[in-house]
Amino acid sequence: MSNRPSSLLIQNVRLLDPAGDRDTVTDLLLRDGAIAALGADALAKGGELLDARGHWLLPAASDLAARLREPGATQK
């Protein structure tokens, strides 16, 4: 059984979304691991509270230039 709440209200998070051209401080509601609401809608629906002041929320980043030396050159 998981200790994770089914609804989590993240308040005061800086939301950076390049695809949606968004850079704002807002409230966000996660329900069952997915974004359920943003802004005032998130506050109205509630959930377990997490104050994220000073933290950023953004899409995952990957280093497409990573060199893992596999296969071969493992001695380096």
Side-chain angles (χ1 to χ4, degrees):
M1 183 177 270
S2 173
N3 290 336
R4 184 173 39 161
S6 62
S7 293
L8 178 64
L9 177 60
I10 303 173
Q11 287 188 309
N12 306 311
V13 67
R14 183 174 178 190
L15 180 62
L16 297 167
D17 179 15
D21 196 29
R22 184 180 304 208
D23 181 357
T24 185
V25 175
T26 189
D27 302 323
L28 179 130
L29 179 67
L30 291 178
R31 181 166 288 132
D32 297 323
I35 297 174
L38 285 172
D41 291 339
L43 284 173
K45 295 180 181 178
E48 185 174 324
L49 181 63
L50 174 69
D51 186 8
R53 189 178 320 266
H55 295 276
W56 294 10
L57 181 66
L58 59 149
S62 298
D63 183 359
L64 299 178
R67 306 291 192 276
L68 301 177
R69 293 183 168 75
E70 289 290 330
T74 55
Q75 73 279 6
K76 291 184 181 181

